[in-house]
Amino acid sequence: QVQLVESGGGLVQPGESLRLSCAASAGISSFYAMGWYRQAPGKQRELVATITTTSVTNYADSVKGRFTISRDNAKNTVYLQMNSLKPEDTAVYYCNARKLAPLSDYWGQGTQVTVSS
């Protein structure tokens, strides 16, 4: 079991930046991948970005070139740097930890990001 705690969300104007953090209670290197997902009002939860233990990254098309996922294994923390934010990025952002054999997913409580002028 692992506990995940997100932080860094807030209210920003279009074009501004935010950095989200996900602090884990266990070593993130023990998981196959860490990731960020988001859910906007009335919409399904969607993948934003993932990073594997071998540092392979994957991004949703809508955030490529604007968002960057990274991790600090020593701090057991995963980050999401969000630049050039758009109103369409408004959502609750959730941290995810995935392990294989057995396939298991762990989720944080979420942090609200609101992009509005």
Side-chain angles (χ1 to χ4, degrees), residues 89-107:
D89 297 318
T90 296
V92 177
Y93 284 70
Y94 297 92
C95 183
N96 168 265
R98 169 167 285 189
K99 68 176 183 180
L100 306 177
L103 179 64
S104 302
D105 283 295
Y106 303 88
W107 298 92

Side-chain angles (χ1 to χ4, degrees), residues 64-84:
K64 285 180 179 177
R66 299 188 298 121
F67 291 10
T68 303
I69 188 170
S70 62
R71 67 171 185 262
D72 186 331
N73 289 344
K75 293 182 170 64
N76 287 327
T77 301
V78 179
Y79 304 96
L80 184 68
Q81 179 66 46
M82 305 185 294
N83 298 327
S84 301

